[in-house]
Amino acid sequence: MKKLFINDVLDLNNCAFIGGEDYRHLTRSLRIRVGENFIIEDSLGKEYSCEVVSINSNFVEMKALSFFERKHSKNFEITLYFPVLKGDKTELILQKATEIGVDNFIPIITKNTVIQLDKQSNKLKRWQTVLREAAMQSGRKGIPTIKPAAALNEIPAIQPNERGFIGSFNGIRWNDYEKKFADIKNVAVIIGPEGDFTPEEVSDLKDKDFTAINISDNILRSETACIFFVSVLSMFQ
């Protein structure tokens, strides 16, 4: 079912009024009609099954009919530290990883990072739009967060209720890793740039209790590694 996010609080039998970019998307791209159903998530994170009750020249009115109950709840959050890549590869990572279920995104700066984030505020604004659109398209719970770029030495150490992984061709094979996620609140994944991490960077991250993991016998592109790794983790949700 189609999904929308609003910045207001919604209650049963009350109406949400959808304007702005969402209004244009609903009326021009989706060409919605009165009687169609949507899921709306409000500013408190509550989800409602809603019905379109009217459409005018400025907004779409949707009435909350019932609470929307999800069949499954997530066991842990996923945080993805991702490389900034050339072209539209970064947006591909954000879009697909959002659909899969990543909760937090943080771009990383490494010794082999090629793309310089000299206009980071503009990048973040665009990336937030990508995340929101992907969350709406996939009907997932919540819009992921994205933070400003961090250097590897700014990444915090893994805590007892967390797990941390580094994508590394020389790491432990995923099939050989003892997968225990009971009572884990967050799983952090760090994927390197096209030039990979330096041995010193991997060593520093291991000192913070990150585990180097090889998820494939093949050499994966950075964007493929991001999408593949979080897909594997989502199987334990």
Side-chain angles (χ1 to χ4, degrees):
M1 188 176 292
K2 305 179 187 73
K3 176 78 180 279
L4 290 170
F5 296 88
I6 62 172
N7 295 324
D8 299 318
V9 175
L10 189 58
D11 289 312
L12 286 179
N13 298 317
N14 285 355
C15 291
F17 298 89
I18 313 299
E21 289 297 324
D22 286 343
Y23 169 82
R24 285 184 280 275
H25 177 67
L26 292 171
T27 56
R28 297 178 185 177
S29 299
L30 298 183
R31 299 182 181 277
I32 63 167
R33 297 181 178 181
V34 171
E36 288 191 43
N37 293 335
F38 280 77
I39 300 300
I40 291 182
E41 183 173 331
D42 71 5
S43 60
L44 298 178
K46 294 182 179 180
E47 293 180 295
Y48 298 85
S49 296
C50 299
E51 181 182 39
V52 177
V53 294
S54 69
I55 304 169
N56 66 27
S57 59
N58 295 307
F59 59 84
V60 174
E61 183 181 4
M62 296 189 186
K63 184 177 182 179
L65 303 178
S66 63
F67 288 111
F68 178 72
E69 299 293 338
R70 292 187 175 267
K71 295 180 180 179
H72 304 288
S73 59
K74 298 177 69 171
N75 295 322
F76 52 80
E77 289 193 353
I78 300 176
T79 297
L80 177 62
Y81 292 89
F82 66 95
V84 181
L85 306 175
K86 297 177 181 178
D88 58 0
K89 295 177 182 178
T90 299
E91 291 192 8
L92 177 67
I93 292 171
L94 298 175
Q95 181 187 69
K96 299 308 177 186
T98 294
E99 293 175 14
I100 293 165
V102 169
D103 302 281
N104 309 293
F105 291 89
I106 304 174
I108 54 172
I109 301 170
T110 71
K111 290 183 179 179
N112 290 326
T113 297
V114 175
I115 304 298
Q116 300 300 315
L117 293 176
D118 53 344
K119 296 180 179 179
Q120 189 172 153
S121 60
N122 291 336
K123 288 276 189 183
L124 284 175
K125 187 175 181 179
R126 169 57 190 164
W127 291 342
Q128 286 167 343
T129 299
V130 172
L131 297 179
R132 187 174 189 275
E133 291 176 349
M136 290 171 58
Q137 181 276 324
S138 62
R140 58 166 284 162
K141 181 79 167 66
I143 303 173
T145 66
I146 186 164
K147 297 181 180 179
L152 290 187
N153 61 9
E154 296 175 321
I155 295 176
I158 296 301
Q159 301 301 309
N161 62 346
E162 298 178 331
R163 291 286 182 271
F165 301 112
I166 316 160
S168 174
F169 193 73
N170 297 316
I172 302 169
R173 293 182 71 252
W174 178 251
N175 289 343
D176 297 330
Y177 177 76
E178 189 174 2
K179 306 169 188 67
K180 292 183 178 180
F181 294 102
D183 300 321
I184 296 301
K185 302 301 182 183
N186 182 63
V187 177
V189 177
I190 305 178
I191 301 296
E194 294 170 344
D196 208 350
F197 297 115
T198 66
E200 293 77 18
E201 288 174 329
V202 173
S203 178
D204 289 344
L205 290 170
K206 286 182 177 180
D207 288 342
K208 295 181 177 182
D209 287 332
F210 280 85
T211 302
I213 292 288
N214 178 359
I215 57 172
S216 175
D217 290 335
N218 302 327
I219 298 175
L220 305 180
R221 293 178 180 272
S222 294
E223 64 272 25
T224 307
C226 286
I227 296 167
F228 185 31
F229 209 139
V230 297
S231 296
V232 171
L233 283 174
S234 70
M235 297 174 64
F236 296 89
Q237 291 283 30

